[in-house]
Amino acid sequence: MVGVSEGQASARTRARVGRPLLSLTLAALMDEVHAHSGAVYLLSPDQPVLEMAVMARLPRAFAAPWERIGLSAPIPVSAAAREGRLVWVAGEEEMALRYPRIAMVLPYPFALAALPVATPAKTYGAVFVTWPGSHPPELSDWEREHLTAACDRLAVRLERAAEHSLPLPPEPDLLAAPVVGGVAGSLGTVEAARMVARLPYGLCSLDLHGRVAFANAAASELLGVASDGLLGRHLWAAVPWLNDPVYEDRYRAALFSQHVTSFVALRPPDTWLSFRLYPSTTGLSMRISRARAVTEMNRAAPPPGAARDRLVTITQVLGLAGALTEAVGVQDVVQLVADEIVPAVGGQGLVVLGSRAGRLRVLGHRGYADPQVVERFDGLPLSEPTPGGQVLRTGVPAFFESREELERLYPALQTHPSEFSAWAYLPLIASGRPVGTCVLSYGAPHRFATEERAVLTSLAGLIAQALERAMLYDVKHRLAHGLQEALLPHTLPALHGIEAARYLPATRGMEIGGDFYDLVPTQGVAAAVIGDVQGHNVTAAGLMGQVRTAVRAYTAVGQAPDEVMRSTNRLLLDLGTELFASCLYLRLDPSRGRAVMSRAGHPPPLLRRPDGRVRVLDLAGGPLLGIDGAAAYPSTEVALPPGSLLVLYTDGLVESPGVDFEDALAELCRRLGGLGDLPLDDLADALVRHGPHAADRLDDTAVLLLRAAR
């Protein structure tokens, strides 16, 4: 048996990592399972974000919306890393059903598998690979085994690299090198070149990026562009009348599906050409021939001198549409437009305007060095002569190609000029009415051609629909949480011998939580209650307010804890509601160092002793309130010496998908033991916001902390 020293092992590891580890692994993996394309993502060391490290056999632009994605994003590669499992999507229908945002951007027939790159101790990233749409609907056992084994091996190598503090150098994407040159150089022999030149139809070769690598003389004649003007350029940029997202989509469809695709296009003024695309993993071969005139496709050619670079690509439009479907609030919409539309159209600034009660409202802005330039318009009457108000009232877009043009029509704007020199004011029209104005600002004078104005106005339609939904969401959100806050105490009373703090973060989304708490002072003692009404809606919130009021009333008349619970239980039954409630009620007597508690289906409280030890008070109790009118709720007396801390909480603090309740409770006890001496407000924040799986909680959480004075 031959031993290997630690230094030798380290040297070998360093040598292995020095090679393009990710690229080689991905290439080998794809060859093993005959995959068409793929990518490796690495998990950011300081935030829950996956970053694309290497992509293979497709342009990275195809995956531009997902180069950097959150671990919680609703896409397969994030799900694989987050859940530690293989995610299989059999085709375009399943993709549309499970991951609509991807299907919207890539509506092509292909299959996809995503896997985590992880060891039992740590997740390092994820991998996805794709196959053409002809792949069987099920992933075979041998494909699954090869994929899993390759990702496991990669995880081990990344673990070794991390142990030896070896950073991974950047690696290039795995794309076939473009072959750009003349006929002979492309096809290998002079005779082959002559053969191709004699063919009666055009032949072009495109690389994976859509650049022309070869074109015969017939192709050049049919397209109306000299070969020197084609080679090395994107076909839709070199040929003005092919500058249409529809044609680029056919190229993308051929590459993704690896199926032959075709289309017809009008070469001005009246010649129809047929294009047939033959894909492979290294590029596309394109056959061009004359086609019969298609009278129903009577589209005019772009005017002479029209810009050849497309304002916004189909990828950006589809990516924006998909992203806007996930925008929740108004600020989400503003941020998405600032990140994805403003740079794409060459702008530098953004303002989104709305209206309320006949006045202009600034809903959000980006890119302005002096926010006062924008915010001074907030609250102005819509009747004031401003371009934003004019566009919002009329629904007619306005374009100002220079500062002089804007100030000539609106002289009042001269008093507070911004740093920008051109503007596009776009009406945001949804459901047939203006809901706002999108203002795109440019740093230099800018000419808005007819085509550009049409594109910007169309983009405004997408933004308007998202903004209308977001504004409705924000209104409902404010109403819901305003109701919830109105039903709960804004502060807790000061009690002699007891220090108290409470915490109730809002439920994710528009729902209203049913969690409640209260602290009621009485003569010589105090009563505390915490509970959770089933459901997340207005009915649950209303019932929560009734339960809290009832507990206060029963406390005021001097009922013991078990009697308070029985009375509240009968109240819920008398109300005839179908909702139930959990509840924990206790009577505190700081002078005697005692607490008497009664529980109705509620998680057990925690007691932290002055020496730091934490105990789960597994009290006897009864069923949930509102189930059984004859239920009993026995009370338990607990010692509460000076310096001890009681933690009352709702189940949102310890319940998370896939997490065992007992394990979560044990972890909460460990955290409480270490943090229990913090000020109560800081402790409540630490327990709720920084506990394990806090980001995954779907339920709201109430916490009530009670500390006996020393």
Side-chain angles (χ1 to χ4, degrees), residues 48-63:
V49 171
L50 290 167
E51 299 175 331
M52 184 183 289
V54 175
M55 188 165 184
R57 298 182 189 168
L58 280 178
R60 186 174 284 230
F62 279 26

Side-chain angles (χ1 to χ4, degrees), residues 32-65:
E32 285 178 349
V33 298
H34 310 297
H36 162 230
S37 68
V40 178
Y41 286 81
L42 295 179
L43 188 61
S44 173
D46 54 356
Q47 53 185 323
V49 171
L50 290 167
E51 299 175 331
M52 184 183 289
V54 175
M55 188 165 184
R57 298 182 189 168
L58 280 178
R60 186 174 284 230
F62 279 26

Side-chain angles (χ1 to χ4, degrees), residues 174-452:
L174 299 175
L175 288 173
V179 181
V180 179
V183 173
S186 299
L187 298 182
T189 68
V190 173
E191 185 54 37
R194 290 172 179 167
M195 178 192 71
V196 172
R198 289 193 293 267
L199 292 174
Y201 47 81
L203 284 179
C204 283
S205 176
L206 306 182
D207 67 11
L208 293 176
H209 293 283
R211 295 186 296 248
V212 180
F214 166 81
N216 68 355
S220 177
E221 180 181 353
L222 288 169
L223 294 174
V225 179
S227 58
D228 291 345
L230 293 172
L231 297 179
R233 302 187 64 193
H234 291 99
L235 184 65
W236 41 89
V239 184
W241 45 273
L242 287 179
N243 187 11
D244 190 313
V246 171
Y247 306 141
E248 182 188 349
D249 180 67
R250 295 296 81 206
Y251 140 78
R252 290 157 51 90
L255 280 186
F256 250 97
S257 66
Q258 290 293 290
H259 292 168
V260 177
T261 63
S262 60
F263 63 89
V264 293
L266 175 66
R267 190 191 74 184
D270 55 9
T271 302
W272 286 93
L273 298 180
S274 172
F275 295 79
R276 195 162 180 84
L277 309 177
Y278 299 87
S280 73
T281 57
T282 58
L284 292 167
S285 296
M286 176 185 289
R287 173 178 166 168
I288 310 171
S289 59
R290 295 182 183 273
R292 294 179 180 178
V294 185
T295 56
E296 63 269 22
M297 295 179 62
N298 186 22
R299 296 182 298 172
R308 294 186 175 186
D309 292 333
R310 190 171 311 122
L311 184 67
V312 180
T313 68
I314 187 172
T315 299
Q316 290 169 317
V317 172
L318 293 174
L320 175 69
L324 286 174
T325 62
E326 298 177 8
V328 177
V330 170
Q331 292 309 309
D332 294 336
V333 175
V334 173
Q335 192 63 52
L336 279 167
V337 175
D339 291 344
E340 302 198 25
I341 283 297
V342 174
V345 301
Q348 290 79 41
L350 168 72
V351 182
V352 179
L353 301 171
S355 66
R356 188 184 313 124
R359 294 184 177 272
L360 201 63
R361 296 299 178 190
V362 177
L363 303 180
H365 59 85
R366 299 290 187 275
Y368 282 76
D370 182 6
Q372 291 296 323
V373 171
V374 176
E375 292 168 1
R376 66 190 178 91
F377 292 101
D378 192 66
L380 285 180
L382 285 176
S383 57
E384 287 284 327
T386 63
Q390 174 74 14
V391 169
L392 198 153
R393 287 196 313 273
T394 64
V396 178
F399 299 90
F400 304 96
E401 299 183 346
S402 67
R403 180 185 300 278
E404 292 74 22
E405 183 180 351
L406 176 70
E407 293 178 349
R408 184 174 64 253
L409 295 174
Y410 297 94
L413 298 183
Q414 297 179 17
T415 56
H416 296 281
S418 74
E419 65 266 37
F420 296 107
S421 301
W423 296 264
Y425 284 80
L426 308 173
L428 302 178
I429 299 175
S431 304
R433 64 181 184 87
V435 296
T437 302
C438 177
V439 185
L440 302 175
S441 308
Y442 298 77
H446 184 87
R447 179 179 175 273
F448 296 96
T450 302
E451 179 185 351
E452 182 175 359

Side-chain angles (χ1 to χ4, degrees), residues 570-609:
R570 286 193 297 270
L571 171 67
L572 261 65
L573 290 168
D574 291 343
L575 290 173
T577 178
E578 295 181 354
L579 300 181
F580 311 127
S582 70
C583 189
L584 175 66
Y585 179 89
L586 56 95
R587 192 69 60 85
L588 297 162
D589 189 348
S591 62
R592 296 180 54 243
R594 312 297 292 177
V596 180
M597 310 182 186
S598 184
R599 184 162 68 109
H602 199 80
L606 305 180
L607 175 63
R608 185 182 187 273
R609 300 181 183 279

Side-chain angles (χ1 to χ4, degrees), residues 534-701:
Q534 173 196 21
H536 293 86
N537 50 39
V538 174
T539 303
L543 186 60
M544 173 262 284
Q546 290 176 297
V547 170
R548 175 176 165 251
T549 302
V551 170
R552 271 188 163 260
Y554 299 139
T555 299
V557 299
Q559 289 190 357
D562 57 328
E563 294 172 336
V564 170
M565 298 298 270
R566 285 197 300 270
S567 299
T568 307
N569 180 48
R570 286 193 297 270
L571 171 67
L572 261 65
L573 290 168
D574 291 343
L575 290 173
T577 178
E578 295 181 354
L579 300 181
F580 311 127
S582 70
C583 189
L584 175 66
Y585 179 89
L586 56 95
R587 192 69 60 85
L588 297 162
D589 189 348
S591 62
R592 296 180 54 243
R594 312 297 292 177
V596 180
M597 310 182 186
S598 184
R599 184 162 68 109
H602 199 80
L606 305 180
L607 175 63
R608 185 182 187 273
R609 300 181 183 279
D611 59 7
R613 290 182 298 167
V614 178
R615 172 188 168 198
V616 178
L617 300 179
D618 193 9
L619 311 173
L624 293 170
L625 301 176
I627 294 179
D628 180 6
Y633 299 92
S635 58
T636 304
E637 186 173 287
V638 177
L640 194 65
S644 56
L645 172 68
L646 271 175
V647 179
L648 317 181
Y649 56 92
T650 54
D651 54 10
L653 186 64
V654 288
E655 289 187 356
S656 297
V659 180
D660 182 76
F661 177 84
E662 297 296 333
D663 292 340
L665 190 59
E667 175 61 23
L668 178 61
C669 290
R670 283 192 291 272
R671 291 185 60 79
L672 181 60
L675 302 174
D677 292 326
L678 289 174
L680 291 190
D681 288 333
D682 295 338
L683 176 59
D685 184 76
L687 292 179
V688 175
R689 293 187 182 275
H690 306 296
H693 309 284
D696 299 328
R697 291 197 188 104
L698 301 179
D699 199 3
D700 53 355
T701 303

